[in-house]
Amino acid sequence: MRLRKDTDDMQEEEVLLIAKVSDALAHPARIKIFRYIMQANRAMVLVCNKDLVAHFDYAQATISQHTKKLAESGLIEVKKQDKFSYYYANLGVLMKYLNATKKFSVSK
């Protein structure tokens, strides 16, 4: 008789990724900001802080706090040029997150 060891196919880094990205997407404003950046990038349009302030009804400080949280999660990358910060969606992190959540939902 063989004893089967209960194996969990999720890696610790995937669990941490789910937690980090889910935390970043836990606020509706951050979801909207991330989606805006993603769509602008797809259209080859640069996005900086002033663009986000102009598009959303939030103060500049609020936008900065939300983009900081998104950047910490890895969902966006920030590139500084002169006095401006430009935002780029990191679709690689988004896809890793989606794949990890898919694996999470079917884990035994």
Side-chain angles (χ1 to χ4, degrees):
M1 174 195 306
R2 279 181 35 191
L3 294 176
R4 287 180 100 168
K5 186 177 179 183
D6 188 25
T7 58
D8 187 1
D9 59 343
M10 284 199 72
Q11 302 296 318
E12 183 68 19
E13 71 181 44
E14 292 172 313
V15 173
L16 295 174
L17 176 71
I18 291 172
K20 185 170 55 170
V21 173
S22 294
D23 184 43
L25 294 175
H27 196 288
R30 288 194 288 268
I31 294 172
K32 291 174 186 176
I33 291 168
F34 178 67
R35 186 167 184 258
Y36 177 82
I37 293 169
M38 200 168 46
Q39 290 174 337
N41 290 167
R42 188 176 299 135
M44 305 296 280
V45 175
L46 293 176
V47 178
C48 69
N49 218 27
K50 68 180 177 84
D51 299 323
L52 295 174
V53 171
H55 185 78
F56 295 100
D57 192 25
Y58 302 118
Q60 189 273 330
T62 303
I63 294 286
S64 291
Q65 289 174 348
H66 287 313
T67 54
K68 179 181 178 188
K69 188 77 165 180
L70 289 168
E72 288 171 350
S73 74
L75 283 171
I76 64 171
E77 294 178 6
V78 183
K79 296 192 176 157
K80 297 190 184 277
Q81 290 179 339
D82 299 322
K83 61 181 180 174
F84 295 104
S85 294
Y86 292 95
Y87 302 106
Y88 300 90
N90 187 337
L91 298 181
V93 169
L94 179 63
M95 293 312 297
K96 284 181 185 177
Y97 170 74
L98 294 174
N99 289 333
T101 57
K102 192 181 300 180
K103 190 187 280 189
F104 176 81
S105 68
V106 295
S107 289
K108 297 175 181 142

